[in-house]
Amino acid sequence: MFLLSYHLDATHVVVELGEVVDLDNEAAVEREIVRLLPCCGPRAIIVDIRTPLLTPRALGLLLRVRGQAEERGISMAVVAGYDMAREILRAAGLHRVLRVAATLPGAELRSRGCRPEPEATRNAGPGGRRSVPPAAGDSPRPRGPYADTSRPRIPGKH
């Protein structure tokens, strides 16, 4: 098993994962990535996923590598350039744990502990706000796919 790896800068090692992780190659891929975890060199590793398909074995592998990196004091981030790969990581609830970003510069920032810029400020105009802030007595509206079902229901009130 051969994984392409390179130094992004003095503190980041990038490992490109270009094939689907399955039963046949899981152990070899994990050994190769763990071998690249430096003991006293760069302080962060970025796994660049170059395939849209992430199997359950790939998710487990990423979590194990993250654990081993953490034990050595190394930060880890993941680049998932394909929408499908990011959706799989989000559905599994791993997008924050693995510090997932869509691009290599984004993963570099995530490995340093920086949070991605909120979408509202990316799409905002010069003032930095897209809408009027809620009034003092108003509570912000719930967001998300289950927003309407997660609000408490009081009989007689709508």
Side-chain angles (χ1 to χ4, degrees):
M1 171 59 45
F2 174 74
L3 297 176
L4 179 63
S5 64
Y6 57 92
H7 286 269
L8 184 62
D9 55 27
T11 59
H12 292 87
V13 172
V14 178
V15 179
E16 292 183 357
L17 184 57
E19 57 187 73
V20 175
V21 176
D22 57 17
L23 180 61
D24 295 332
N25 66 1
E26 177 183 16
V29 169
E30 184 172 352
R31 270 193 314 270
E32 184 73 16
I33 294 174
V34 169
R35 184 186 65 77
L36 292 170
L37 291 177
C39 62
C40 50
R43 304 305 308 160
I45 187 166
I46 298 173
V47 178
D48 190 355
I49 300 171
R50 300 278 180 138
T51 176
L53 179 62
L54 285 177
T55 62
R57 292 196 175 273
L59 300 178
L61 175 134
L62 290 170
L63 286 172
R64 288 190 304 274
V65 168
R66 178 188 171 270
Q68 291 184 23
E70 244 181 29
E71 287 175 4
R72 299 175 188 195
I74 298 170
S75 176
M76 180 177 149
V78 173
V79 177
Y82 289 95
D83 291 337
M84 180 188 244
R86 284 193 307 277
E87 288 174 18
I88 292 169
L89 289 163
R90 184 174 298 280
L94 299 177
H95 60 287
R96 287 192 177 122
V97 173
L98 294 174
R99 298 178 179 170
V100 176
T103 63
L104 190 56
E108 181 184 359
L109 288 174
R110 297 295 304 257
S111 72
R112 295 178 185 189
C114 299
R115 295 178 57 193
E117 188 176 286
E119 188 173 336
T121 57
R122 275 192 301 236
N123 298 333
R129 293 211 169 147
R130 291 183 70 195
S131 62
V132 178
D138 294 344
S139 63
R141 295 194 65 207
R143 296 181 183 179
Y146 304 107
D148 290 336
T149 59
S150 62
R151 292 168 55 189
R153 303 289 181 186
I154 302 172
K157 284 192 169 186
H158 293 282

